[in-house]
């Protein structure tokens, strides 16, 4: 399996994704398509960095109206048990976010320390344990 991470930022909102391909004789086949592995809006919302760090500076100014988030994941592929079957993919996530649906200045900050495990099933990676806590824009 060959994997690639790629990302981009738009007006202070940044995100990264992971894709993977199975290398086969005579070709390449997509087996994991654009799974989010990181997202942050601390560059778009000035107060979010202070709010997520637990400071009062961002809250004193009223803070942003939307949720704050800064979450990053690290992928780790396990070696397959057989030569023809790739091992599991584990994504380990760390970061913080505020509760959605409330202004960030009044929301509770949740620390993120989670794992999502993707197992090889029917020729592709499928989420089998945990969840992916990276928010979409």
């Amino acid at each position: 399996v060959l994997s690639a991470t790629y990302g981009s930022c738009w007006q202070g909102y940044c995100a990264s994704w992971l894709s993977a391909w199975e290398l086969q004789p005579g070709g390449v086949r997509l087996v994991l398509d654009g799974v989010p592995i990181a997202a942050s809006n601390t560059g778009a919302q000035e107060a979010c960095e202070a709010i997520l760090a637990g400071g009062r500076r961002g809250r004193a100014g009223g803070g942003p109206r939307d949720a704050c988030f800064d979450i990053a994941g690290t992928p780790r592929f396990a070696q397959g048990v057989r030569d023809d079957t790739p091992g599991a993919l584990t994504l380990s996530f760390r970061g913080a976010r505020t509760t959605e649906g409330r202004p960030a200045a009044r929301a509770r900050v949740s620390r993120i320390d989670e794992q999502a495990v993707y197992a090889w099933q029917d020729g592709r990676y499928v989420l089998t344990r945990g969840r992916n806590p990276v928010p979409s824009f």
Side-chain angles (χ1 to χ4, degrees), residues 15-38:
S16 297
W17 298 269
L18 173 71
S19 290
W21 298 265
E22 180 183 26
L23 305 177
Q24 303 172 332
V28 176
R29 190 172 60 82
L30 184 66
V31 295
L32 185 71
D33 190 16
V35 171
I37 59 169

Side-chain angles (χ1 to χ4, degrees), residues 85-105:
T85 305
L89 163 63
T90 300
L91 298 177
S92 299
F93 297 99
R94 295 189 66 101
R97 71 175 303 149
T98 59
T99 310
E100 290 190 45
R102 313 181 77 183

Side-chain angles (χ1 to χ4, degrees), residues 2-136:
L2 170 72
S3 67
T5 58
Y6 49 95
S8 190
C9 292
W10 307 274
Q11 298 180 341
Y13 289 86
C14 297
S16 297
W17 298 269
L18 173 71
S19 290
W21 298 265
E22 180 183 26
L23 305 177
Q24 303 172 332
V28 176
R29 190 172 60 82
L30 184 66
V31 295
L32 185 71
D33 190 16
V35 171
I37 59 169
S40 176
N41 69 345
T42 59
Q45 305 286 346
E46 186 177 334
C48 279
E49 190 170 352
I51 290 171
L52 293 176
R56 298 189 180 275
R57 185 182 69 196
R59 296 180 192 277
R65 299 191 57 76
D66 297 321
C68 293
F69 51 88
D70 188 12
I71 301 169
T74 303
R76 184 176 37 93
F77 286 90
Q79 185 168 345
V81 183
R82 298 184 351 217
D83 288 341
D84 62 342
T85 305
L89 163 63
T90 300
L91 298 177
S92 299
F93 297 99
R94 295 189 66 101
R97 71 175 303 149
T98 59
T99 310
E100 290 190 45
R102 313 181 77 183
R106 294 193 317 247
R108 183 175 65 90
V109 174
S110 298
R111 299 288 167 216
I112 305 296
D113 187 3
E114 299 182 30
Q115 286 189 337
V117 178
Y118 292 77
W120 186 260
Q121 293 180 358
D122 298 323
R124 63 187 177 96
Y125 280 103
V126 177
L127 179 64
T128 57
R129 193 174 75 226
R131 70 180 186 99
N132 188 325
V134 176
S136 59

